[in-house]
Amino acid sequence: MDVLKNTEVRDGKADAKETNERIGSIPESDEAFKVKDLLLGVSVEYVPKEGCEWYVLRATYGREIKALETIRSLGGVAYVPLYRTREERDGKIKKVLKPFVQQLVFLYSSKEE
């Protein structure tokens, strides 16, 4: 199976000829494959799996991160979009991680799971 070069370029100045140029076949060794992907900026961890879909789960208010950790501890793939903000607590300003979307956890799984 051949691999294409990464077509996303941060500065937006991608040459169509360069981005579609074939760079060779995927090596059999997992280690070599990971190194090659790191150089290209491609992640193979999130390749769509057959039979799996994204589901949206509702978590109790304020427990999105706890639900995320629970799903991951059971071996599942879950996602909660987070952002950092500053809040005043007990008279001190602290950095806090908060979810962008309240009460929602995104789960990537098959229906059976």
Side-chain angles (χ1 to χ4, degrees), residues 71-78 107-108 113:
I71 292 168
R72 287 184 177 171
S73 70
L74 296 171
V77 177
L107 172 69
Y108 188 68
E113 288 181 33

Side-chain angles (χ1 to χ4, degrees), residues 29-98:
S29 165
D30 287 340
E31 186 177 324
F33 186 58
K34 289 179 183 177
V35 170
K36 193 173 194 176
D37 286 337
L38 287 174
L39 295 173
L40 296 174
V42 177
S43 173
V44 293
E45 291 181 40
Y46 303 107
V47 174
K49 298 176 188 170
E50 191 173 320
C52 291
E53 296 181 19
W54 282 101
Y55 296 94
V56 181
L57 305 176
R58 183 182 172 274
T60 311
Y61 183 77
R63 295 191 180 191
E64 300 90 352
I65 296 174
K66 190 171 185 177
L68 174 71
E69 291 170 353
T70 303
I71 292 168
R72 287 184 177 171
S73 70
L74 296 171
V77 177
Y79 176 72
V80 174
L82 301 171
Y83 70 99
R84 287 194 188 277
T85 186
R86 294 180 182 171
E87 284 186 355
E88 187 175 337
R89 291 186 179 176
D90 302 324
K92 295 181 180 179
I93 296 177
K94 295 191 177 194
K95 293 179 184 176
V96 181
L97 272 177
K98 287 190 156 194

